[in-house]
Amino acid sequence: MKRRVEACVFSLAAGIGLLAAGMGNADDIPFFVSRDVPDYRALMTVREADRPTNTHLRSVLHHHGWTRVEEQLDHGTGISYGGFFDNVLLSTWKARDGEDFTSISLTKVAPLRSGIRVKNTNEAGTAIHPAGEACNWWEVVDKSELEGTYGPFSYSCLSRDGIEVATKQLIKRKEPYGDTQLVKLKRTSVAESEVRPPKRLFDPAFWLKPLRNYPNRPANLPDFEARMIGDRSEKRVLRHYPWRFEEERSKDGRTVFSVWNMLDDQRLTVGYSKNERHFEAHRSSIDFRPSSNLIDVEVGPTDLKKSDRYLGESCAWFETTHLADAGRSECLTPDGVALKVEFSSWLGPDENYTAVEIKRRPVEIKEMIPPSELTDPSSWGFTVSD
């Protein structure tokens, strides 16, 4: 029997756990070994591992330990803001000229080391002089336990006053895997405002603003609130068409708040654990948004041809997500409420959730917004610009 259910476009990563993030990667923000690096403006060329014959430009601004890195690519613009010694990195993306930001990824990791030992480094000899700047190579190791045989191994070449003027990555310590090279460097004052991210990037309302006018809620998709108990965590689930919200609290202290749009590619996730915080959001580029409103949406997950009963309600099993390394199956009531959810993944242990309480009630959008202290720029260490 064919039935209508809601699409689950939420990334499984939030259900599996926050990924560990090492900071100071030369691909994102410059690597430093000292806080006494002067303000500067640099222009560099970038050659990527998967495009060895092509290069593009990267501009770097540095002011008192904070950097802004921008790269212009054929399909858009990437901009990163970060504080190396604060272990915080914010990366954004604009899909095309004139369009506002379409994605953000923000991570903050508790420092594993202090001072100049924020990362393990080893001098690796003297380099050539890119753009006339003498520099010494340093091997960059995020965590010694991650150092293996194949790599890639990252190297950063620093000038006498600590400015990164070249980077390279090697496989097996000898095979090239991408590099950057200085084109122009100017040691000059950089205004604080030039290395500060825009305030709107931290505003959930900016990311969750409706992309279009949505059709009326289908009668068989009522608002609801549910509480689910899992093997290692507990979930609170809300639905207000076309929005879906999940709050997951794990026994190990990890907490994740996720809200996503069931009709459009639009989502926001904020989470934290003992040593890490993560905030990511995405919304479709104008080029990929529907040109007209949908009157109705048929979603066709795989019907697993079996049924169950929980909390006195009947449900049918569907495979709602199937990826190469992860899957999600749900036992859904006729009005699309999950009474049982099963996750499977090669990236981590499986997880099963069972509903212990369901309330079909009106839900307001404001109930789906993560706590403000988790998205406050100052809590991440950033001062923002307008």
Side-chain angles (χ1 to χ4, degrees), residues 312-349:
E313 296 192 46
S314 298
C315 60
W317 280 97
F318 290 84
E319 184 180 50
T320 53
T321 304
H322 179 75
L323 303 173
D325 56 2
R328 172 171 173 156
S329 298
E330 302 180 61
C331 197
L332 299 164
T333 64
D335 58 356
V337 178
L339 301 180
K340 182 86 172 181
V341 178
E342 296 182 351
F343 290 97
S344 61
S345 173
W346 289 0
L347 302 177

Side-chain angles (χ1 to χ4, degrees), residues 11 141 165 311:
S11 169
V141 181
V165 297
L311 288 180

Side-chain angles (χ1 to χ4, degrees), residues 2-47:
K2 190 176 184 180
R3 69 162 57 189
R4 193 182 310 274
V5 295
E6 63 187 59
C8 178
V9 297
F10 167 58
S11 169
L12 285 175
I16 297 167
L18 297 176
L19 299 178
M23 290 302 303
N25 189 313
D27 284 343
D28 301 312
I29 58 174
F31 168 68
F32 297 137
V33 293
S34 170
R35 293 180 181 270
D36 299 326
V37 177
D39 284 12
Y40 69 88
R41 301 173 187 269
L43 186 66
M44 309 182 78
T45 58
V46 180
R47 183 168 56 224

